[in-house]
Amino acid sequence: MTTLGGDRPGAVVVSGPRGAGRTRLAQEALAALHRQGHRSAWATGTRGGAGIPLGALAHLVPAAGAGSDPAAAWQAMASSLDKDRSGRPVVVVIDDAHLLDDLSAALVHKLVLTRAASVVLTVLGGARGPDLVDTLWRDGLATRVELCPWTRPQVEQLLEAELGGTPESRLVQTLWRMSGGSAVMLHELVQAGHETDRLRSVEGIWRWEGEPALTQRLCEVVQAEMGDLTDPERAAMELLAIGGVLELRDLVALTSSAVVTTLERRGLVAVERTSRRPVARLAQPLQAQVLCARMPQAASSQYLEQLAGASSVRRWAQEDPLRIGPLLLQLDEPPRDAVVLTRAAVRANDASDHDLAERLARAALDDGAGLAAAIALVESLRWQGRHEEAEEAAAQAAASTTATERDELAVTRMFNLFGLGRAEEAIALAGAVGGSADPGHVVEAVGKILRLANGEPPKPTDLFEGVLDRSTVRPATALWDDVAHAAALAALGHPDEALESVARARRALDADGVETACARTLLMLVECWALELGGRLLAAEARAVTLHEDTLARSRSAADAVAALCRGSAALTAGRPLQSVRWLAEAAARLAESDPVGCLPLCLAKQAHARALMGDAAGAASALAEARRHPGIRLFEPELLLAQAWSAAAAGRDDESGEAALRAAATADEMGQLSVEAVALHTAVRLGRAGEVAGRLCGLAAELGGQLFTAFAAHADAVARSHGEALDEVAERFRQLDALSCAADAYALAAEAHRHAGHRRRAAASGAWANVLARNAGGLRTPALERLAPYALTQREREIAVLAAVGARNQSIAKQLVLSVRTVETHLAHVYDKLGISRRADLPSALAAESGGC
């Protein structure tokens, strides 16, 4: 606006990809200039008019100058723009200026050069336009504004504003990918989602159900974005729409170099040069859907025949069949066969695309595949929450003489039985197939995990003396043994060793194996758990974000919900309940539909815990009741009891809250979960049972080590002794660990101890810190903070204190606030008492401390 609205006319070139908002920005600029008194003219370049002299500017050039003589045309246009003798400045907007004919481009260039009017031009990024248009910004005659595709965070913000609520992270990912960062396409997708009821709010979280539906308007917008296509251009795009991806040389061989070059220049085809053989794909995913939906059957059959013979398709069928998985389902001939389909189904499960895995596995079975395809089918059904169907498919699977296949079927069945709540049956299957005589068996490794999940204490000897020789066992066995070690080490209170096992297991994830997606998901849980228990709370939050990003980069699955659970858990441990509830709500909504690793009760328990910390007693009770309605994994029973403790505390049932925390500690002790026991005992400290647990907590801290556990023990000891200075020190240790909730409670308890000892100034400082941390955490409400509440300044007290701190006298304050002088004096007396001061001169520093500046 500075360039266009100044004393002298200026020029701006707005460049960007399709849908980036070039036209909208020009419209907004024009509206703003209208409000400043500018006159305006608008012209639009078109592909049809690009070959017609003055095709875009004909309405600005009177008939007398509408010939091919540039000088006459210029005189006519200049006269037309100057016909209003009011002296108001003129702004000319040329939309899609890259499509101008040469004569129109020459007139626009001279318009800018002579500064006869301000000019705004929009051009498609990467498109080749007339030289005279391009030279405007290259020669410095115009300012260039580059619009980039919207980033995913920007798409999330736009969706929040558009929907008036929180969008699910997978919704953001899907619409960002489908729109290509185009604001126009994003808007159309949202409208189509509303129209087809694919876009809906579940428990306050907006999400998308199924694939994007093609409404008539959406199809028309996509076709308009593609523009006019010649028959060879359309054929090339239809080939890619069916095939998904092709090596560039194959696409050129099936079409022509000129066609592919034109489509790439127009931004319709993207060529990825990440390997020795560049590959081509459609730049916009929605284009493939629209082209396929409107493609004649005869053309589709012809394209499938061509694709089946392409060298890249035949090679990928052997090397990476998942790359062409959807195409394989459409073929009726080689390279499709039962073996290729089975391998594609296995890899689809590994990539978390369980819907595609199901279709590939069923197609493989129809083509005569054996047990491997049946196993892939069972796994895909299990991940889609269809456990009964999965068990039926497992029972119908053909017998195999291959020990590896029998093992893999047993592993998938064990997880499925566990998901059905038949834990004992699943563990019995581990014993029947694996057995102690074969310690390197993958089934036995998974059995360790299931026994731990069922509440059996882990055996330290298995962890530190019975580690497998990785060089002599199958990669799948080594992977699952590392997962089992990581989980048990975290439960036993050895987070660093657990993280080492996680790292070792991650290195084995790329190898073909059984239930790789499950292993990846469990490792996500264990890694975040180990970081939290190790007191590395900032690292836990950062790692949870990274793991969530990695999950969103794959296909939609229940792993999305587990990743959201990890983010919610990390935020809860750090004492940010509001943020925690946001992620846990997203996780719970999806886990209610598919919960392949049994996390829904844990998620709901943490949600109850977070809501209780916010003072939402009703919400906490509701989430806890819902958690109890689902068949839970016994491993999570301490978490349910901790949720009960905090829920009772939020409702003011102090005796029940303390008892529930103690039961949580006892249950964790029975299961050998020393780290969880320490967390439960520290909860009992915060809920008024420090004297009963300080000794045990001190012993656990000595055994486990780590900053968090030693801080727990120090907290218990300081509370038991009612030692204010020690509580201040512990609170600072928690604050350094980013454990805001623990720190706020410790400061609140320190304020109590100082007040009982008669140290009003220290009590005020500790209370100020407690209030600041509670506010920074999003509004914490715990029993300790609630007891501190009467000592916080009221709004009226703060108003009077602030005025007094800047030197206002009592009479002036009374007059300004319409109070009596006596009322002002009474309020100031309360302020002095709460802040622990006795003089008016101390108010500025005391108020700074109370507001967080201490």
Side-chain angles (χ1 to χ4, degrees), residues 158-498:
L158 182 62
L159 286 173
E160 286 180 352
E162 181 88 5
L163 299 172
T166 302
E168 184 186 52
S169 49
R170 177 59 68 175
L171 169 64
V172 176
Q173 176 75 11
T174 298
L175 295 189
W176 176 58
R177 181 181 62 84
M178 295 299 293
S179 68
S182 162
V184 171
M185 201 60 65
L186 182 65
H187 173 75
E188 295 300 333
L189 280 165
V190 169
Q191 293 306 309
H194 284 308
E195 184 178 331
T196 59
D197 202 31
R198 297 291 177 91
L199 186 62
R200 60 184 67 175
S201 178
V202 179
E203 300 294 331
I205 303 293
W206 283 92
R207 64 190 203 182
W208 196 285
E209 305 294 345
E211 292 297 320
L214 295 177
T215 61
Q216 181 66 27
R217 175 175 171 79
L218 184 58
C219 287
E220 291 173 355
V221 170
V222 172
Q223 287 194 312
E225 288 287 322
M226 287 190 288
D228 297 329
L229 296 171
T230 65
D231 288 343
E233 289 170 350
R234 179 172 292 277
M237 293 190 68
E238 288 176 339
L239 268 170
L240 288 177
I242 290 182
V245 62
L246 268 179
E247 280 188 3
L248 182 60
R249 64 180 183 179
D250 281 341
L251 181 60
V252 169
L254 292 171
T255 55
S256 75
S257 177
V259 166
V260 177
T261 298
T262 299
L263 291 174
E264 187 179 2
R265 281 179 174 167
R266 290 178 58 187
L268 297 174
V269 169
V271 176
E272 299 172 355
R273 295 177 172 82
T274 55
S275 63
R276 187 166 55 90
R277 297 186 176 101
V279 297
R281 66 176 74 247
L282 293 180
Q284 173 61 262
L286 279 174
Q287 293 171 357
Q289 288 185 260
V290 171
L291 289 169
C292 287
R294 302 196 170 185
M295 191 183 304
Q297 184 60 45
S300 175
S301 299
Q302 178 186 351
Y303 294 142
L304 286 171
E305 185 177 339
Q306 291 177 307
L307 290 166
S311 61
S312 54
V313 170
R314 290 184 172 276
R315 188 177 67 258
W316 288 335
Q318 301 305 315
E319 298 174 357
D320 188 9
L322 180 58
R323 198 169 195 174
I324 53 170
L327 174 62
L328 290 172
L329 291 170
Q330 301 178 70
L331 296 175
D332 296 321
E333 58 186 36
R336 167 183 169 142
D337 61 35
V339 173
V340 170
L341 288 168
T342 299
R343 291 176 55 238
V346 171
R347 293 195 178 184
N349 273 327
D350 292 348
S352 298
D353 194 346
H354 304 295
D355 175 71
L356 177 60
E358 179 189 354
R359 290 185 284 134
L360 288 165
R362 291 191 186 279
L365 290 169
D366 289 342
D367 288 356
L371 185 58
I375 296 168
L377 177 60
V378 173
E379 182 178 347
S380 68
L381 292 171
R382 185 177 79 78
W383 272 87
Q384 294 176 74
R386 295 150 64 186
H387 295 281
E388 296 289 356
E389 285 184 63
E391 191 60 20
E392 290 176 11
Q396 295 170 5
S400 173
T401 56
T402 304
T404 297
E405 289 182 344
R406 291 199 303 272
D407 292 348
E408 291 179 353
L409 179 60
V411 166
T412 300
R413 280 201 67 203
M414 288 159 62
F415 280 121
N416 195 56
L417 288 168
F418 220 84
L420 286 168
R422 294 154 61 179
E424 298 298 335
E425 194 175 339
I427 293 171
L429 184 59
V433 178
S436 59
D438 187 10
H441 209 286
V442 64
V443 178
E444 175 57 28
V446 172
K448 292 179 184 177
I449 296 172
L450 298 187
R451 287 192 292 272
L452 178 68
N454 201 42
E456 294 185 26
K459 300 175 183 178
T461 54
D462 289 342
L463 295 174
F464 302 110
E465 296 176 11
V467 177
L468 295 176
D469 180 358
R470 264 77 186 151
S471 64
T472 63
V473 298
R474 289 176 53 211
T477 303
L479 167 63
W480 280 107
D481 200 61
D482 281 328
V483 175
H485 277 75
L489 284 164
L492 284 170
H494 301 284
D496 292 338
E497 293 89 339

